[in-house]
Amino acid sequence: MNKLFTLAGVSRLAAAAAVAVTMSAPVFAQSTTPAEPAPAATEAPAAPAADTAAAPAAEAAAPAAEAAPEATTNPYGLKAIIDHGDLVAKSTLVLMLIMSAGTWYIFVTKLIEQSKLMSQATFAEKNFWTASSVTEGASRLKENSAFRGVVEDGLRATEHHDGALTDHIDLHEWVTMSLQRSVDAVNARLQGGLSFLASVGSTSPFIGLFGTVWGILNALVAIGLSGQASIDKVAGPVGEALIMTAIGLAVAVPAVLAYNWLTRRNKLVMDRLRNFSADLHALLIAGQKAKSGRSA
């Protein structure tokens, strides 16, 4: 009985141990399951690898962005002529700049002078012919007026006609010549500077062409010295040549337009002055005839 009891107890103990092992197996499995996300922690360093791959791309894009403004600069433009041009190129450029400055100066000054004469003509036509005498009409005009100068020259011619030498000239001829000289003096003052505009308009294209020829010559010399017709040897001198041609045309066109326009306006002003002089001539001759008739 003790042996059986002992064997039965051992068997019972073995069965209890097996049941305990079976019940503890799910618990052990559940405790080991959360350890599976550990590989995600090992995959985390992949993000810095992407950053290191993007960094060279950003560094490569930065020099490209910095080089973009330099690509827009023109190394063969007007600044290149000033910085690297020879004496002939710079002298040609300075000459055309002086011609351009003279053109605009003459254009502005002559335009102002013509406007003054236009206003003087309008003022004389309104105020001179309503006076009771030529002397009073002259006093109504401004002292610096060209029309007042013509009137004073006409009065001076009629007053000083009597003399040893002028007696041999008819009064009509003497007054005509005096008024004509006065009108010609105004015309000469208006024509001053127009010859410069004509010279600039006719010569500046050829001066620019000279700069073009000189630039092409420099290009040929550069090709001969380098031994190869590369674009960097030709682009600079040819660019200077084209700029010289453009500057020559830019100087010539305003000069020609200004000359034609000022000449037309001079004609309008002088027509009004000549008409005023002709009417004044008739008035002076009629006044002298009336005086001579009363004295007789």
Side-chain angles (χ1 to χ4, degrees), residues 147-168:
F147 289 82
R148 179 169 180 171
V150 172
V151 174
E152 290 177 349
D153 289 340
L155 289 174
R156 194 177 300 109
T158 57
E159 292 173 358
H160 298 281
H161 178 257
D162 296 334
L165 295 177
T166 56
D167 286 342
H168 300 284

Side-chain angles (χ1 to χ4, degrees), residues 254-271:
V256 173
L257 294 177
Y259 176 81
N260 293 332
W261 193 40
L262 293 177
T263 301
R264 180 179 177 276
R265 286 173 60 89
N266 281 348
K267 184 179 182 301
L268 296 177
V269 174
M270 292 308 301
D271 287 342

Side-chain angles (χ1 to χ4, degrees), residues 11-269:
S11 61
R12 289 176 181 178
L13 291 174
V19 172
V21 170
T22 304
M23 294 178 66
S24 63
V27 177
F28 180 76
Q30 292 178 358
S31 63
T32 57
T33 302
E36 292 180 356
T42 59
E43 294 177 356
D51 295 340
T52 57
E59 293 177 356
E66 294 177 356
E70 296 180 357
T72 58
T73 59
N74 183 13
Y76 307 122
L78 182 61
K79 189 176 183 298
I81 300 177
I82 299 174
D83 295 338
H84 307 291
D86 56 4
L87 181 61
V88 176
K90 291 182 179 179
S91 300
T92 305
L93 179 62
V94 170
L95 179 59
M96 288 191 290
L97 290 177
I98 293 173
M99 296 170 70
S100 178
T103 297
W104 286 105
Y105 174 77
I106 291 174
F107 174 72
V108 173
T109 54
K110 290 300 173 183
L111 192 63
I112 294 174
E113 186 177 2
Q114 289 175 349
S115 299
K116 288 182 179 179
L117 285 174
M118 288 287 190
S119 62
Q120 291 174 4
T122 303
F123 185 82
E125 291 171 356
K126 291 181 178 180
N127 296 278
F128 178 79
W129 301 109
T130 58
S132 58
S133 64
V134 178
T135 305
E136 181 184 353
S139 63
R140 291 184 178 182
L141 302 178
K142 298 180 180 179
E143 294 183 358
N144 59 348
S145 175
F147 289 82
R148 179 169 180 171
V150 172
V151 174
E152 290 177 349
D153 289 340
L155 289 174
R156 194 177 300 109
T158 57
E159 292 173 358
H160 298 281
H161 178 257
D162 296 334
L165 295 177
T166 56
D167 286 342
H168 300 284
I169 304 175
D170 185 65
L171 177 63
H172 175 79
E173 296 292 336
W174 180 254
V175 174
T176 301
M177 290 187 299
S178 298
L179 294 177
Q180 186 63 40
R181 283 193 295 267
S182 181
V183 171
D184 290 342
V186 176
N187 187 29
R189 188 169 70 249
L190 286 176
Q191 294 294 327
L194 295 184
S195 58
F196 179 83
L197 296 180
S199 300
V200 170
S202 59
T203 59
S204 57
F206 297 101
I207 296 175
L209 182 60
F210 170 76
T212 301
V213 174
W214 188 259
I216 294 174
L217 176 62
N218 290 336
L220 296 176
V221 171
I223 293 171
L225 294 177
S226 63
Q228 56 182 356
S230 58
I231 191 64
D232 58 340
K233 300 295 183 182
V234 180
V238 171
E240 295 178 6
L242 296 177
I243 289 174
M244 289 297 183
T245 303
I247 293 176
L249 294 176
V251 174
V253 172
V256 173
L257 294 177
Y259 176 81
N260 293 332
W261 193 40
L262 293 177
T263 301
R264 180 179 177 276
R265 286 173 60 89
N266 281 348
K267 184 179 182 301
L268 296 177
V269 174

Side-chain angles (χ1 to χ4, degrees), residues 282-296:
L283 180 62
L284 293 174
I285 296 299
Q288 290 294 325
K289 289 182 177 179
K291 288 181 181 180
S292 61
R294 287 196 299 269
S295 61

